[in-house]
């Protein structure tokens, strides 16, 4: 939901770790704080948030949630179903076996969609 489809595909298909500046550039995070000031910045963020009217915040969050096509919970359930299906596949078994045997996996033929 936070980035475009092309970026999502790259991140998921390549499975690479990204650093904080890249996450900021992709708008996955709002800001970067140095470790030494992180606690103070988090506390200041909380203080600022607590100054807002709780009912207004709750209603605004509900409004924003209602504008999305599906709820976060629905998206998480869909993602979990895909994950569990992949986890129980022969590819997953071969990947784990290859990892434990410290060798490259021997993938079978490509599946069609």
């Amino acid at each position: 939901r936070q980035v475009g489809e092309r970026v999502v595909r790259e991140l998921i298909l390549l499975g690479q770790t990204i650093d904080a500046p890249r996450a900021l550039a992709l708008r996955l995070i709002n800001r970067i704080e140095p470790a030494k000031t992180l606690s103070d910045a988090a506390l200041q963020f909380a203080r600022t948030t607590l100054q807002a009217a709780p009912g207004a915040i709750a209603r605004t969050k509900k409004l924003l949630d209602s504008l999305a096509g599906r709820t976060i919970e629905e998206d998480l359930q869909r993602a979990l179903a895909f994950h569990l299906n992949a986890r129980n596949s022969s590819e997953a078994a071969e990947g784990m076996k290859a990892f434990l045997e410290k060798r490259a996996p021997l993938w079978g033929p490509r599946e069609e969609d």
Side-chain angles (χ1 to χ4, degrees):
R1 290 183 177 194
Q2 300 302 316
V3 298
E5 183 179 348
R6 295 175 79 187
V7 172
V8 168
R9 286 179 178 271
E10 178 183 337
L11 293 173
I12 292 174
L13 293 174
L14 297 181
Q16 298 172 328
T17 302
I18 61 171
D19 59 13
R22 174 93 166 116
L24 184 64
L26 293 174
R27 299 171 58 189
L28 288 172
I29 58 175
N30 293 335
R31 65 185 63 85
I32 300 171
E33 287 289 336
K36 64 184 177 186
T37 61
L38 182 58
S39 183
D40 290 338
L43 288 172
Q44 183 56 45
F45 184 83
R47 283 186 202 101
T48 301
T49 303
L50 290 172
Q51 291 176 5
I57 293 291
R59 287 187 299 277
T60 301
K61 288 171 65 175
K62 283 183 181 179
L63 168 65
L64 294 173
D65 288 345
S66 74
L67 296 175
R70 291 184 305 264
T71 66
I72 294 289
E73 291 79 17
E74 290 170 321
D75 283 348
L76 289 173
Q77 287 301 316
R78 287 177 65 139
L80 178 61
F82 273 87
H83 171 75
L84 292 175
N85 186 39
R87 202 170 146 177
N88 295 320
S89 71
S90 59
E91 279 188 349
E94 170 57 19
M96 288 297 283
K97 185 177 178 184
F99 175 78
L100 293 172
E101 295 174 0
K102 298 182 184 342
R103 62 171 174 80
L106 302 171
W107 305 123
R110 300 260 182 226
E111 293 180 19
E112 297 295 321
D113 288 333

